Amino acid sequence: MKKILSLVLVSALGGVITLSAYKLFLEKEDKVVVESTQTTPTFLPTNNVNTLFNSTNEAPNFTLAAENTVNAVVHVKNVTLSSGQMTFEDLFFGRRSQRAQLGTGSGVIINADGYIITNNHVIKNAHELSVTLNNNKTYNAELVGTDPKTDIALLKIDADEALPYVTFADSDNAKIGEWVLAVGNPFNLTSTVTAGIISAKARDLSGTSAQSFIQTDAAVNPGNSGGALVNTNGELVGINTAISSQTGSYIGYSFAVPSNIARKVIEDIMEYGNVQNGILGIQGGALNSSIAEKIGVDDTEGVYIDSVIENSGADKAGIKKGDIIKEIDNIKVSKFSDLKGHISAKRPNDIVNLKLSRDGDIKTISVTLEKNETFTLPLVGRIKNTNPSDLKKYKAPHGVKIIKLNDEYSEYWKNNGIEEGCIITSINDVKVKSVDDVQSVLRNKSESLRIELINIKGEKERYNFR
């Protein structure tokens, strides 16, 4: 009995020693610190509810817009002929071999009769044109007309049924931040839809204030050229035309011709056979801090008028050099492309209302747009159509008048007796009677430029440039 009790005591004592050793040497001590002070968090708490779309019913839904658009966007195929490398047989028989090249793009049906808008660069130099609808039916297409200046072209197909089409929206009402869809048919695999927002308006990529694009971040690639940019109602806001890229593929920004400009161009082509451009009759540029300081004005937004073209609509309405255009038809004007974009949707004899600043006073003036009678002739400068008094002064039977010499070459011209007001009578041995004649001559490309004009002494002179 004593042995049993001894064993129990020894075992208990060993357990106590073992536990004490563990506690003392092996177990890590967990300290609990309780602070009575309250610290301020270094972040701002936020509601855990999504404030952008408070319910699924408010989330953007593009299905209706897509359904209204995809069947009206087509694949455009352009076959051009180019001269291939000349072989010995070609040289021997005096012939030139030609090979077909294929180009593709997209287009938008704008009425049930088969009229289709696309880009001019999609169908340029076409030998054959065909259009494939979203239902895989293919038709030969007729080129109705083009406008290289706005990069818009109009095609026509004769389908055996009424075609689905897209209606026009007023692109002036499109807002920055508004959701839009880019719809194209780039690979003839039926229409493709991408979504984005309007990033900016009245964008000019040329640097000459000659363009006024809608900028969007919806993905647009080269084969989408000529496709539709539509709002969430499926209405046409623009014609996708260009991308900003160093690789040739979409990287974030694309550009569309506004629907108001595209609509005006194709209506002119259908009614007149060419585009009727109305002009305001001013020259100038956008304001900023440095320019405002240079010309001595306080405004930093708007278009500053540097000169007014003689006998133009602006001249007849009483607009003066130094005026600053702030609005056109109640649309704010911050830069020249704002003004250009609005006027590009107008025709000769249309009336626009300008709100302008003159010596600090705000005035509203109505201007009747007139047909473009001016043109910038390379090396020479700005020219315009003549009137009888211009021709009588220089005893010229016909010609166009120089109204502003090229800044770079003005000293050269003046040293040779050529000043503003002198008359150009022929270009490249073709008599010219109007600005339209000059543009027609220059369209026939030539390696040289030959100009015949009358100097301030009334003498005819010829100049050859190569």
Side-chain angles (χ1 to χ4, degrees):
M1 186 68 178
K2 289 182 178 180
K3 287 183 177 182
I4 295 173
L5 290 173
S6 298
L7 289 171
V8 171
L9 289 172
V10 170
S11 299
L13 183 60
V16 170
I17 292 171
T18 301
L19 180 61
S20 298
Y22 174 80
K23 287 283 187 179
L24 183 62
F25 298 107
L26 299 177
E27 185 179 48
K28 294 181 180 179
E29 184 176 3
D30 292 328
K31 295 182 179 180
V32 178
V33 180
V34 178
E35 294 183 355
S36 60
T37 59
Q38 182 176 355
T39 60
T40 303
T42 58
F43 58 87
L44 294 175
T46 186
N47 195 323
N48 62 358
V49 177
N50 188 327
T51 56
L52 179 59
F53 303 117
N54 291 327
S55 70
T56 55
N57 292 332
E58 295 182 20
N61 188 333
F62 305 124
T63 55
L64 178 62
E67 288 173 1
N68 290 342
T69 310
V70 289
N71 291 314
V73 174
V74 302
H75 180 73
V76 178
K77 185 184 295 183
N78 168 20
V79 177
T80 62
L81 296 178
S82 63
S83 298
Q85 186 174 1
M86 185 172 287
T87 65
F88 177 78
E89 288 81 5
D90 293 333
L91 184 62
F92 182 80
F93 289 107
R95 65 191 183 192
R96 292 184 66 90
S97 61
Q98 289 186 318
R99 61 181 179 181
Q101 288 187 326
L102 178 65
T104 61
S106 302
V108 185
I109 304 173
I110 57 169
N111 67 15
D113 295 331
Y115 282 97
I116 297 169
I117 296 183
T118 187
N119 284 139
N120 178 67
H121 73 260
V122 170
I123 55 80
K124 188 176 181 181
N125 300 322
H127 179 68
E128 294 178 9
L129 284 169
S130 64
V131 166
T132 302
L133 308 185
N134 201 45
N135 60 10
N136 296 322
K137 290 185 177 180
T138 299
Y139 299 91
N140 291 325
E142 172 195 357
L143 178 60
V144 179
T146 68
D147 181 35
K149 187 176 180 181
T150 56
D151 202 4
I152 293 294
L154 182 65
L155 309 180
K156 175 72 167 65
I157 61 172
D158 294 323
D160 50 8
E161 58 187 342
L163 297 174
Y165 60 91
V166 177
T167 58
F168 285 90
D170 184 347
S171 54
D172 284 343
N173 293 333
K175 304 296 184 184
I176 295 174
E178 177 182 341
W179 283 103
V180 286
L181 297 182
V183 187
N185 195 325
F187 308 114
N188 202 14
L189 298 174
T190 70
S191 295
T192 301
V193 179
T194 56
I197 61 169
I198 293 177
S199 306
K201 296 178 67 177
R203 284 295 199 215
D204 174 36
L205 304 182
S206 68
T208 61
S209 299
Q211 301 168 327
S212 185
F213 288 120
I214 293 174
Q215 179 181 318
T216 174
D217 65 352
V220 173
N221 281 295
N224 290 79
S225 289
L229 186 72
V230 300
N231 59 24
T232 52
N233 295 322
E235 299 167 325
L236 191 67
V237 175
I239 299 296
N240 296 318
T241 298
I243 59 175
S244 177
S245 172
Q246 294 178 338
T247 64
S249 297
Y250 169 81
I251 58 169
Y253 294 123
S254 54
F255 302 88
V257 177
S259 59
N260 286 3
I261 296 176
R263 182 175 188 172
K264 183 258 181 184
V265 168
I266 61 103
E267 286 177 349
D268 281 356
I269 290 173
M270 293 172 70
E271 185 172 352
Y272 304 105
N274 55 35
V275 179
Q276 305 290 301
N277 292 314
I279 65 162
L280 192 60
I282 60 113
Q283 291 180 321
L287 287 172
N288 55 39
S289 295
S290 60
I291 295 176
E293 182 179 358
K294 182 178 179 181
I295 62 179
V297 299
D298 295 329
D299 285 298
T300 57
E301 284 191 316
V303 169
Y304 176 79
I305 298 176
D306 185 55
S307 63
V308 179
I309 297 173
E310 180 186 5
N311 294 324
S312 66
D315 186 27
K316 294 173 183 176
I319 292 178
K320 299 178 180 179
K321 176 181 178 178
D323 289 347
I324 299 171
I325 299 175
K326 309 295 287 184
E327 291 182 4
I328 180 168
D329 291 338
N330 298 317
I331 297 173
K332 183 179 178 181
V333 173
S334 298
K335 50 190 182 296
F336 204 92
S337 54
D338 292 330
L339 188 67
K340 177 70 175 178
H342 190 77
I343 292 177
S344 293
K346 302 292 183 179
R347 297 182 178 87
N349 298 320
D350 283 350
I351 297 174
V352 296
N353 295 305
L354 300 180
K355 181 181 285 188
L356 51 84
S357 173
R358 177 182 295 170
D359 299 326
D361 296 328
I362 299 298
K363 297 181 177 291
T364 300
I365 297 179
S366 296
V367 180
T368 301
L369 302 181
E370 296 188 351
K371 186 177 180 180
N372 184 19
E373 294 188 345
T374 68
F375 177 71
T376 299
L377 181 61
L379 304 175
V380 178
R382 198 79 179 164
I383 61 174
K384 73 180 294 290
N385 289 345
T386 54
N387 56 44
S389 62
D390 295 326
L391 297 176
K392 183 178 180 180
K393 179 180 178 180
Y394 288 91
K395 298 179 180 179
H398 54 79
V400 293
K401 182 170 73 170
I402 300 172
I403 58 173
K404 190 177 188 309
L405 290 170
N406 181 298
D407 291 335
E408 186 177 353
Y409 299 101
S410 62
E411 187 174 348
Y412 166 81
W413 288 116
K414 289 178 180 178
N415 289 339
N416 285 276
I418 307 301
E419 295 183 354
E420 293 169 358
C422 290
I423 306 296
I424 297 174
T425 56
S426 75
I427 296 177
N428 291 350
D429 303 319
V430 177
K431 292 180 180 179
V432 293
K433 299 179 180 180
S434 67
V435 167
D436 290 340
D437 291 342
V438 174
Q439 291 176 295
S440 178
V441 172
L442 293 182
R443 276 195 289 267
N444 299 322
K445 293 181 179 179
S446 175
E447 295 181 357
S448 61
L449 180 65
R450 300 179 300 280
I451 299 173
E452 183 180 283
L453 47 75
I454 301 175
N455 64 20
I456 56 176
K457 297 179 180 179
E459 302 168 338
K460 281 189 177 183
E461 294 189 6
R462 289 179 62 89
Y463 293 87
N464 294 325
F465 300 94
R466 293 186 178 275

